[in-house]
């Protein structure tokens, strides 16, 4: 399990990469107040422990999307998350606490494909108790 005790520098690195994911360490060094080698080393540590990562998807590959809140049967969270992560429509799968067990970002090439996934394929995943979907508005 990732270490949850992040330093202020670790949090600043993650935030900088959220804002400018392709920035070179040499560009971020003067902004964050440390040298590029330190940033590189800290990022490698964050990545190696699974604390932080970078993921991408082609924004032109989908026309319809939804955020889906998923509640699982007791003990099924990890199994459901793993099954979701195997589907090409799931571009993000996050385990959460509170009012839902998982939040998944789902993307499909068309609205019809999105609704087919949400209404026919998603319910076939064993361990899902309930879902609540929120369409993603997209400016094309």
């Amino acid at each position: 399990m990732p270490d949850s005790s992040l330093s202020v520098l670790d949090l600043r690195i993650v935030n900088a990469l959220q804002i400018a994911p392709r920035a070179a360490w040499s560009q971020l060094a003067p902004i964050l107040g440390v040298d590029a080698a330190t940033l590189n080393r800290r990022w490698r540590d964050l990545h190696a422990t699974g604390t932080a990562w970078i993921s991408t998807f082609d924004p032109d590959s989908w026309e319809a999307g939804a955020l889906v809140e998923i509640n699982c049967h007791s003990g099924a969270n990890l199994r459901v998350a793993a099954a979701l992560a195997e589907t090409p429509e799931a571009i993000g799968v996050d385990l959460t606490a509170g009012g839902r067990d998982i939040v998944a970002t789902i993307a499909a090439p068309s609205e019809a494909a999105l609704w087919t996934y949400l209404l026919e394929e998603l319910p076939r995943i064993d361990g899902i108790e309930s879902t609540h979907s929120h369409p993603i508005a997209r400016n094309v």
Side-chain angles (χ1 to χ4, degrees):
M1 175 168 268
D3 182 4
S4 62
S5 59
L6 296 175
S7 71
V8 171
L9 177 58
D10 293 340
L11 293 171
R12 293 178 70 208
I13 291 169
V14 169
N15 183 246
L17 291 174
Q18 288 172 326
I19 294 167
R22 294 181 177 264
W25 296 128
S26 59
Q27 292 173 301
L28 295 176
I31 297 166
L32 298 178
V34 295
D35 61 69
T38 298
L39 293 175
N40 184 39
R41 185 179 65 254
R42 289 303 311 141
W43 173 254
R44 280 195 327 260
D45 291 345
L46 289 167
H47 187 263
T49 61
T51 303
W53 58 92
I54 294 176
S55 61
T56 63
F57 67 95
D58 179 4
D60 295 327
S61 67
W62 62 283
E63 292 297 325
L67 292 177
V68 182
E69 297 176 272
I70 301 168
N71 288 314
C72 302
H73 294 291
S74 181
N77 301 26
L78 294 176
R79 187 175 69 248
V80 170
L84 280 167
E86 292 295 319
T87 66
E89 292 85 359
I91 60 174
V93 178
D94 298 297
L95 294 166
T96 61
R100 80 250 350 117
D101 297 315
I102 298 170
V103 174
T105 305
I106 305 299
S110 68
E111 282 192 34
L114 175 67
W115 299 123
T116 297
Y117 179 81
L118 294 176
L119 298 173
E120 296 176 17
E121 295 175 39
L122 186 61
R124 291 186 191 133
I125 296 175
D126 185 43
I128 293 179
E129 183 176 288
S130 65
T131 64
H132 192 134
S133 62
H134 309 274
I136 297 172
R138 183 172 163 133
N139 293 330
V140 191

